Amino acid sequence: QVQLVEAGGGLVQTGGSLRLSCAASGLTFSSYSMGWFRQAPGKEREFVARISWRGGTTYYADSVKGRFTISRDNAKNTVYLQMNSAKVEDTAVYYCAADRWQRGTYYAIQGYDFWGQGTQVTVSS
């Protein structure tokens, strides 16, 4: 009954912006750190960003640092990923994930308990 639903994916031109959202249900949202991952065709899923329970601590992959911003609104049970200065290499399916117990490192896929279905982001030239 836990569900994470991503939205906001689509087509954006190089240098443009896109805002992804992930709405959570069936869990106590404020008890979970939230992460964003992405996966391009033929490649492994990779870490993008993570935010702590109350939003006070964030982590970013080097490839997106300074361009992407993760945020959350616990009143709305929603986590966001603001993508600015988009690059072609940002093209991927983007997934949100929830981590209750912090069993692994913030960038490790195995440490997350629940995953969304993904939303496609395509960056064109």
Side-chain angles (χ1 to χ4, degrees):
Q1 61 189 44
V2 172
Q3 192 169 34
L4 305 177
V5 180
E6 299 97 335
L11 179 65
V12 64
Q13 292 187 338
T14 298
S17 298
L18 202 64
R19 189 197 195 201
L20 308 183
S21 64
C22 172
S25 61
L27 52 74
T28 303
F29 185 70
S30 61
S31 295
Y32 288 78
S33 294
M34 300 295 297
W36 284 98
F37 291 74
R38 66 187 183 186
Q39 187 168 22
K43 301 189 69 176
E44 295 182 3
R45 191 169 300 186
E46 65 175 355
F47 168 77
V48 176
R50 179 183 172 98
I51 189 166
S52 61
W53 302 316
R54 296 177 60 85
T57 304
T58 57
Y59 302 93
Y60 296 93
D62 289 342
S63 59
V64 307
K65 193 173 299 181
R67 300 187 299 115
F68 291 9
T69 302
I70 188 171
S71 62
R72 68 190 297 163
D73 186 342
N74 286 353
K76 297 181 178 179
N77 287 0
T78 302
V79 62
Y80 305 92
L81 185 68
Q82 179 66 45
M83 304 170 55
N84 295 331
S85 302
K87 301 177 179 180
V88 172
E89 50 264 46
D90 294 325
T91 296
V93 176
Y94 283 72
Y95 300 88
C96 70
D99 179 4
R100 174 65 176 87
W101 300 111
Q102 298 179 330
R103 294 166 294 178
T105 54
Y106 63 86
Y107 54 81
I109 293 172
Q110 54 83 24
Y112 291 79
D113 301 290
F114 305 107
W115 293 83
Q117 83 289 348
T119 185
Q120 176 71 48
V121 172
T122 302
V123 184
S124 66
S125 61

